[in-house]
Amino acid sequence: MTSPAADIFIRSSTVRHVGWLDFDRPPVNAFTRAMVDQTHDAIAAALADPEVRVLVLASAVEAYFSAGADLNVFKGMKQDGMRQWAMRCHDIVRLLRGSPKPLLAAINGTAVGGGLEMTLHCDLRFAATNARLGQPEIRIGFIPPIATTQALARLIGRPRAIRYLYDGGLVPASEALGWGLVDELVEPAALRDRVQAYAEELAAKSPAALAAIRRTVTLGGGLTFEQGMAYELETVAELAGTPDFAEGVDAFLAKRPPTWPRP
C-alpha cells in the first residue's frame, strides 16, 4: 500500500455506476512502482465497490494514455528486482481477468507499454481516432511483462502479435482497429462520453449474467473445447439458481422491464 502522503497517480471517480480509473502522472504517464501499486489498489477498490458496476481504464493526461514504465526505475535493476516488478504487474492482470464486472478502456493519444498492456485484459477497447499504439520494449532489449505475450496472441493471433512485438513501432488507431487490437474508434473530444454511454448500457444489465459472460469467455478461452463446454454447463446451471434469472424470466413474461437485484 502507498503512504497517505505519497503523490497520487491514479484518479478514481464514479459516474452513474460507471467507475473511471484515470492514469494521472504528467507529462506522459510513465509508471513508477508507486503508480503500479496505486493502479492495483484502485482496481481492487473499484471491484469491491457495489456502486461500481462497470470499470473503465482511462487517462487524465491529454496527449498520453501511457508511456509505459519510467525507465529510471529499471536503471541498475537485476533479476530479483525485475521478478518483483513483473509479479506485481501480474497481480494486476489477475484482478482484471478475474473481475466479475465489465471492463472497458478509453485509449487516447500515445499509448505504449504497461498502461496499454492492461487494456488487453479489458473486454472492449475504445480508442480516439488520433491514438497511436505500440509495444516498444524490443528497443531496450526487453519484452512487455503484463501478460502481454499471452493476451496479445490470443487477441490478434500469433503471426500479427509476434510481428508487432518484433517491430516495436507505433500503430495508428485505424490499423489497430483492423487487427482487433481496438474495438471502436471515436473522435477524441467524444471519447469519454461514448465510453460512459456504453458503460451505462452495461450497468443496466444483469450483474450475474455479465459476470458469467466474462468468466466463461475469459477463463474458458484457456481451456480445451470440451473443458470449456463443461465450464459453460456448470455456469448455466448456477445462473438458473440466481435471483437475476428468476427476475429476467418473470419480467419478460409480464412484459415489463426487469429490476435486477443489487448487492
Side-chain angles (χ1 to χ4, degrees):
M1 297 288 290
T2 55
S3 165
D7 291 333
I8 303 301
F9 303 125
I10 305 298
R11 305 293 173 184
S12 297
S13 59
T14 304
V15 181
R16 294 185 292 277
H17 301 294
V18 179
W20 285 80
L21 190 157
D22 284 286
F23 304 137
D24 190 15
R25 187 172 182 252
V28 297
N29 279 339
F31 279 74
T32 60
R33 176 56 191 262
M35 190 172 176
V36 170
D37 286 340
Q38 288 180 24
T39 300
H40 174 278
D41 293 349
I43 293 170
L47 296 182
D49 185 349
E51 287 300 306
V52 174
R53 299 176 189 170
V54 180
L55 181 60
V56 182
L57 300 187
S59 170
V61 177
E62 184 175 355
Y64 273 83
F65 181 80
S66 165
D70 184 331
L71 293 189
N72 289 301
V73 176
F74 289 171
K75 188 173 178 59
M77 184 180 283
K78 301 300 182 184
Q79 289 177 323
D80 287 346
M82 185 56 72
R83 182 179 296 277
Q84 293 301 315
W85 173 276
M87 286 174 63
R88 191 55 166 163
C89 291
H90 286 182
D91 288 341
I92 293 174
V93 172
R94 292 187 180 94
L95 277 179
L96 295 174
R97 285 179 58 81
S99 167
K101 303 177 182 182
L103 303 177
L104 307 177
I107 302 170
N108 65 293
T110 300
V112 299
L116 178 61
E117 293 170 50
M118 293 178 199
T119 74
L120 300 179
H121 308 290
C122 292
D123 304 325
L124 294 169
R125 286 157 293 282
F126 295 76
T129 53
N130 63 353
R132 299 183 304 160
L133 295 75
Q135 297 296 160
E137 287 84 355
I138 187 69
R139 299 183 181 183
I140 62 165
F142 199 50
I143 65 172
I146 308 184
T148 302
T149 58
Q150 305 309 300
L152 193 61
R154 289 168 169 81
L155 184 64
I156 64 175
R158 181 188 183 278
R160 198 181 299 277
I162 206 164
R163 178 68 180 269
Y164 178 53
L165 296 178
Y166 277 172
D167 291 350
L170 289 174
V171 174
S174 57
E175 187 172 352
L177 178 67
W179 292 3
L181 187 56
V182 300
D183 300 286
E184 184 174 324
L185 299 186
V186 186
E187 289 300 319
L191 180 62
R192 293 182 77 92
D193 286 346
R194 169 59 184 140
V195 175
Q196 176 71 29
Y198 183 76
E200 287 183 29
E201 291 179 20
L202 292 179
K205 295 180 178 179
S206 160
L210 290 170
I213 290 169
R214 279 210 96 241
R215 190 166 64 247
T216 52
V217 174
T218 303
L219 303 183
L223 304 175
T224 68
F225 197 89
E226 283 292 333
Q227 290 170 336
M229 281 204 302
Y231 191 33
E232 179 186 82
L233 176 62
E234 292 306 312
T235 302
V236 165
E238 180 183 320
L239 271 176
T242 65
D244 281 29
F245 181 67
E247 169 62 11
V249 172
D250 288 348
F252 181 84
L253 293 176
K255 297 181 172 57
R256 61 171 175 80
T259 301
W260 305 117
R262 299 290 178 182

